[in-house]
Amino acid sequence: MKRIVLLRHGESTWNKENRFTGWTDVDLTEKGIEEAIRAGALMKKEGFAFSKAYTSYLKRAVKTLDNVLDQLDQDWIPVEKNWRLNEKHYGDLQGLNKSETAEKYGDEQVLVWRRSFDVAPHPLGEEDPRNPRFEARYAEVSDHELPRTESLKDTIERILPYWKEVIFPNLQTADELLVVAHGNSLRGIIKHLKQIPDQDIVHLNLPTAVPYVFEFDERFNLIKDYFLGDPDEIKKLMEAVANQGKKK
């Protein structure tokens, strides 16, 4: 049996403030650090031993992974960072409060921006200081690949080549891999693995720092997927994520 664990980062400062974050590089809160530590301890209890880990270029994911590996006593394993695992780019919405945006545009429109498959928010302008073309971390990425906004469809198209060509093939030589990334980048991977229809992906909400385990047979066919933790608590966390984009 082969296993890949997908883990959304712990609570960030903008999660706490209910802001659209996207590629903005915000840090973890104290709660987010605690969530990461708890996730690592839970995976250690369950006996996970990873051969390699993957994460994005954004510190909330990187620091979550650091805390998880520390709890696992697996700080030594190879870690690969790649911009393709970054969160969906929220364009001009980045930094805005989700509830206040829902007050202005309505719950339904904000749900479309947050969760729809093929509708992207308004893009950042070319001279907007938030534009990733100005960031040193993306200096080696061609400008035409750097998003100014993204739909989930765009995010999946960015992520899947890396998933198919780099991460998933490593199951040939490794029994367990860990991917620490973001709500929408992981939703894209999950959509691919579970073949979720475009119209149904809107209903998938990932809580912060809850390990999501995918088990594969020796032919790399998905045979089982499940969250680690108390099902009732995880359900509540998912509902809380779903409610973030609603008017207060």
Side-chain angles (χ1 to χ4, degrees):
M1 180 183 67
K2 307 276 188 173
R3 298 195 290 188
I4 296 180
V5 177
L6 304 181
L7 183 70
R8 184 184 175 195
H9 61 80
E11 182 191 68
S12 73
T13 55
W14 278 16
N15 288 147
K16 184 177 181 179
E17 295 172 11
N18 201 24
R19 295 176 183 267
F20 290 100
T21 310
W23 282 33
T24 308
D25 199 19
V26 299
D27 212 338
L28 294 176
T29 62
E30 287 299 318
K31 177 183 176 182
I33 293 170
E34 292 170 2
E35 288 177 337
I37 290 171
R38 188 161 58 247
L42 179 58
M43 285 188 280
K44 183 176 182 179
K45 180 181 177 183
E46 295 295 324
F48 282 86
F50 298 105
S51 299
K52 190 169 184 177
Y54 302 85
T55 191
S56 74
Y57 274 6
L58 302 172
K59 71 173 70 175
R60 58 192 186 273
V62 174
K63 289 188 176 182
T64 296
L65 175 58
D66 289 344
N67 280 285
V68 165
L69 293 180
D70 186 55
Q71 288 299 306
L72 286 163
D73 293 323
Q74 294 174 30
D75 310 71
W76 54 272
I77 69 170
V79 172
E80 185 169 312
K81 301 183 181 79
N82 195 284
W83 69 276
R84 290 186 180 275
L85 289 174
N86 279 14
E87 176 61 296
K88 166 185 166 181
H89 198 298
Y90 274 104
D92 205 35
L93 290 177
Q94 292 186 162
L96 298 182
N97 180 277
K98 294 173 186 175
S99 295
E100 291 174 2
T101 306
E103 290 283 354
K104 184 175 181 179
Y105 295 103
D107 289 350
E108 188 172 333
Q109 179 60 65
V110 171
L111 181 64
V112 168
W113 283 330
R114 292 182 69 215
R115 293 288 181 260
S116 72
F117 181 66
D118 57 3
V119 178
H122 297 302
L124 294 177
E126 285 305 298
E127 301 306 318
D128 192 307
R130 297 172 293 173
N131 193 313
R133 73 188 184 95
F134 295 121
E135 293 196 50
R137 78 187 78 189
Y138 306 117
E140 296 183 3
V141 182
S142 60
D143 186 65
H144 79 274
E145 290 187 295
L146 291 174
R148 276 57 168 175
T149 185
E150 288 178 310
S151 64
L152 181 61
K153 180 175 182 288
D154 299 325
T155 309
I156 293 172
E157 289 173 356
R158 160 166 57 86
I159 293 165
L160 280 190
Y162 185 65
W163 173 263
K164 291 179 178 180
E165 297 166 17
V166 178
I167 299 176
F168 198 69
N170 267 310
L171 278 186
Q172 295 177 16
T173 55
D175 289 333
E176 295 180 339
L177 300 172
L178 174 61
V179 181
V180 180
H182 307 265
N184 283 293
S185 54
L186 294 178
R187 286 171 75 232
I189 293 170
I190 294 163
K191 183 182 188 301
H192 168 70
L193 287 174
K194 299 186 69 174
Q195 300 183 323
I196 300 172
D198 297 352
Q199 67 273 16
D200 293 341
I201 193 64
V202 67
H203 304 299
L204 176 62
N205 293 285
L206 292 180
T208 52
V210 176
Y212 194 177
V213 184
F214 287 78
E215 296 184 357
F216 303 87
D217 63 23
E218 294 305 315
R219 294 184 179 180
F220 310 108
N221 297 307
L222 178 63
I223 55 176
K224 188 178 181 181
D225 63 280
Y226 53 93
F227 287 98
L228 290 182
D230 178 72
D232 291 334
E233 180 62 25
I234 292 169
K235 183 180 178 181
K236 291 178 183 177
L237 293 172
M238 286 179 162
E239 290 171 351
V241 174
N243 290 330
Q244 286 172 354
K246 295 181 180 180
K247 293 178 285 189
K248 290 184 178 180

